Amino acid sequence: MKLNMRFQQWTLASTATLVVVLTAIFLITVFGKFTSMSEENAEERFALIAQHAAAEMDNRLRSIGQAASTQASAAPQFFVGAGKINAQDLVPGLIGALTNYPNTYGHFFGLNNDEFLQVIGVRANPKISEALNAPPATYFAVRRITRTADDKRLEHWQFIDQAGGQLGERSAAATYAPAQRPWFVGALQRGELTVTEPYLFSSTGRLGITVAAPLPDKNGVFGIDIDLGALDAFLASLPLTPNSAILILAPDNRVMAFNGRGTNYDGLTVAPLTPLAKLENPLLKALGGVGADARAQMLELDSNDGRQHFVVTSRPTEAVGGTSFRIIAAAPMTDFRGPIEKARRDVLLAAGLILLFLLPLAILGSRRVVTALAQLARNSENLKRLDFSHDPETAPSFLYEINALGEAQVVMHHSIKERTAELTLAKEKLARLVDNGLLLGKEQDRQKLLRHILSGSRDIAQCAAGTLFLKTERNTL
């Protein structure tokens, strides 16, 4: 079946279709770009957050590790003489170090013979004071373990206020054996700076680690206890999204610090050093399987709200003393798509308004073109039928080509009309000549024949009047 569609219908349909298709292509392209932008923004933002958290851990460990290595590398005679620790010279320096490093809990020396010197930064903390049985105003506590003449180990405590005055002291038999502690054994085995696994301070219950370095003659170890209890507050200060979470994990995937926001973590508290695999939260449990590849990635994970797409970044800290920790941050993509969805709606609204403006404009413009072309078609049909009963009509258009065709069609109409009239007249003249010729052969009445010749000549010459002259035999009229 041959398709026979009016140009007007085809033009209107094609114009509307073109406008709609172009708008759809624009919206699909823009929406796709918005989606990729939201993912790139999420990945970049959380990579920076994890990097910032890792840098904070690096700075804390590295600066204190350098201080421990520097202190341990001093000349042995500075802090040890005759197998005993030189407490008189060391205590002021250790108190000054605690003042300079507020995140440190204590500085200490331990020797192979179990002699021990420790300065603890109590800082008037009632919990530490209670655990050490110290006066309430205690700012520093000095603990020293020595051997008596009868080879007994004695533990002596001295309590000092912030101004350096002594508040009290006490002594008791020593039960603490520094040479058997993990920090002591690890430092001597490695022969260099070592960092212990995180643990809870017995005096405060807060999270901490110990950084220790062997003395030059391997006769003992210098160490610093670092208080990591402020890590939760540090994570809470990070610019996370409304439904995100961030964790700091020990090498064995125990949680050192955690901060979670939104419905996935409502009412959730994570005790320090809780194994990640033992948490009830499905999302946090799933994060334990994320590798430490220091880059952000898009993952589909289980959550309290079902499976969702999350941006997850896992970044290791730089190894200090043979130990590296891991930072994991995660957030649902819905946190990032909110502004993108708003932008999408704005673009969709703008595209709709533009479409509402352009589509009628295109239809009106095409209708003017179609109207002019339809008039040209009607004029052509009249020419095809040789209908010259009325002059062709022209519909003005804003297109030069269509106006030129209309003007040419008017010229052609008048030319054909004139040619047709001339042909009709020539035909009539020829018919009159033929009639006159036939009458010359058969008409017997001379006067009637002359009248017919005069009348026919007048008609052929298109004259209003005519005169017939006859020649006589004497060549006169």
Side-chain angles (χ1 to χ4, degrees):
M1 180 179 178
K2 184 178 178 181
L3 182 63
N4 189 14
M5 180 183 293
R6 288 281 185 179
F7 182 78
Q8 179 177 5
Q9 299 170 347
W10 178 85
T11 302
L12 292 175
S14 60
T15 301
T17 302
L18 180 61
V19 172
V20 172
V21 168
L22 289 178
T23 305
I25 293 174
F26 168 75
L27 292 176
I28 292 172
T29 303
V30 170
F31 286 177
K33 186 62 177 177
F34 279 166
T35 300
S36 63
M37 285 174 58
S38 66
E39 294 179 356
E40 291 171 3
N41 175 55
E43 292 175 358
E44 181 178 355
R45 178 173 177 179
F46 265 67
L48 291 174
I49 289 175
Q51 181 181 355
H52 178 49
E56 177 67 18
M57 284 290 295
D58 291 340
N59 291 336
R60 293 190 182 198
L61 296 180
R62 193 168 299 281
S63 60
I64 296 175
Q66 289 174 350
S69 298
T70 301
Q71 183 71 41
S73 63
Q77 60 270 21
F78 175 71
F79 41 78
V80 177
K84 294 184 179 296
I85 297 175
N86 183 7
Q88 184 176 356
D89 294 334
L90 289 175
V91 168
L94 296 181
I95 289 177
L98 284 170
T99 304
N100 294 330
Y101 294 98
N103 289 324
T104 57
Y105 174 78
H107 294 227
F108 53 85
F109 282 94
L111 301 182
N112 292 337
N113 61 5
D114 277 339
E115 185 161 339
F116 186 65
L117 172 66
Q118 181 183 26
V119 179
I120 298 174
V122 180
R123 300 182 179 91
N125 186 315
K127 199 169 185 178
I128 300 178
S129 297
E130 182 181 357
L132 300 180
N133 196 21
T138 299
Y139 213 80
F140 299 103
V142 180
R143 178 191 192 187
R144 185 176 180 186
I145 298 176
T146 59
R147 286 188 181 275
T148 61
D150 55 356
D151 201 31
K152 292 182 179 179
R153 299 177 66 245
L154 180 68
E155 181 179 79
H156 180 77
W157 286 90
Q158 183 182 9
F159 305 106
I160 302 171
D161 62 16
Q162 190 172 6
Q166 182 170 315
L167 298 175
E169 58 181 340
R170 61 182 172 83
S171 297
T175 58
Y176 184 78
Q180 300 175 13
R181 305 301 295 175
W183 54 265
F184 193 98
V185 175
L188 290 182
Q189 286 180 348
R190 281 177 54 85
E192 59 183 353
L193 184 73
T194 187
V195 177
T196 66
E197 292 287 330
Y199 61 94
L200 300 179
F201 292 147
S202 59
S203 59
T204 62
R206 288 165 66 91
L207 181 70
I209 57 174
T210 298
V211 176
L215 302 181
D217 55 3
K218 302 291 182 70
N219 187 38
V221 171
F222 173 75
I224 301 176
D225 291 328
I226 305 174
D227 185 354
L228 297 178
L231 285 179
D232 283 336
F234 165 69
L235 295 184
S237 69
L238 294 176
L240 301 177
T241 57
N243 298 286
S244 58
I246 186 168
L247 306 96
I248 301 179
L249 300 179
D252 57 358
N253 265 8
R254 288 184 298 165
V255 179
M256 297 173 60
F258 164 74
N259 181 260
R261 306 172 188 180
T263 57
N264 281 318
Y265 317 103
D266 281 344
L268 177 64
T269 57
V270 181
L273 301 183
T274 301
L276 197 59
K278 291 187 177 181
L279 295 178
E280 297 295 331
N281 188 281
L283 177 57
L284 296 182
K285 188 179 297 185
L287 293 178
V290 177
D293 53 6
R295 67 179 181 86
Q297 53 187 314
M298 306 300 301
L299 298 175
E300 187 177 3
L301 302 174
D302 290 323
S303 68
N304 291 341
D305 299 325
R307 291 188 69 81
Q308 291 181 282
H309 285 91
F310 285 80
V311 55
V312 180
T313 182
S314 176
R315 187 179 185 90
T317 63
E318 293 186 17
V320 176
T323 302
S324 176
F325 303 100
R326 190 153 60 106
I327 314 295
I328 298 181
M333 281 304 300
T334 52
D335 280 3
F336 301 91
R337 287 176 179 157
I340 299 299
E341 291 296 333
K342 182 179 182 303
R344 280 184 175 180
R345 290 192 296 270
D346 292 343
V347 170
L348 186 60
L349 178 61
L353 293 176
I354 292 173
L355 187 61
L356 288 176
F357 173 75
L358 289 182
L359 191 57
L361 186 64
I363 292 176
L364 288 175
S366 63
R367 282 181 64 88
R368 290 196 64 183
V369 174
V370 167
T371 301
L373 292 174
Q375 186 59 53
L376 290 176
R378 287 192 293 271
N379 293 339
S380 298
E381 290 176 354
N382 290 336
L383 286 174
K384 183 173 65 175
R385 295 193 301 269
L386 297 178
D387 180 4
F388 303 107
S389 58
H390 55 273
D391 290 338
E393 298 179 6
T394 58
S397 170
F398 55 86
L399 295 180
Y400 168 79
E401 289 81 359
I402 293 179
N403 292 333
L405 284 175
E407 294 171 0
Q409 197 174 59
V410 171
V411 173
M412 182 173 61
H413 173 89
H414 289 298
S415 297
I416 295 176
K417 183 177 180 180
E418 291 174 358
R419 293 290 182 180
T420 303
E422 291 175 355
L423 288 174
T424 302
L425 181 58
K427 181 180 177 181
E428 291 176 354
K429 289 179 179 181
L430 180 60
R432 177 68 67 176
L433 287 173
V434 171
D435 289 344
N436 290 339
L438 292 175
L439 285 174
L440 287 173
K442 65 179 182 179
E443 182 61 51
Q444 299 297 322
D445 186 345
R446 184 172 182 271
Q447 292 299 322
K448 186 176 181 181
L449 177 61
L450 291 176
R451 283 195 302 273
H452 183 80
I453 292 173
L454 179 61
S455 175
S457 299
R458 187 188 60 189
D459 292 339
I460 292 174
Q462 293 185 327
C463 297
T467 303
L468 179 64
F469 293 94
L470 298 177
K471 183 180 177 181
T472 64
E473 294 177 357
R474 293 187 297 272
N475 289 330
T476 58
L477 296 176

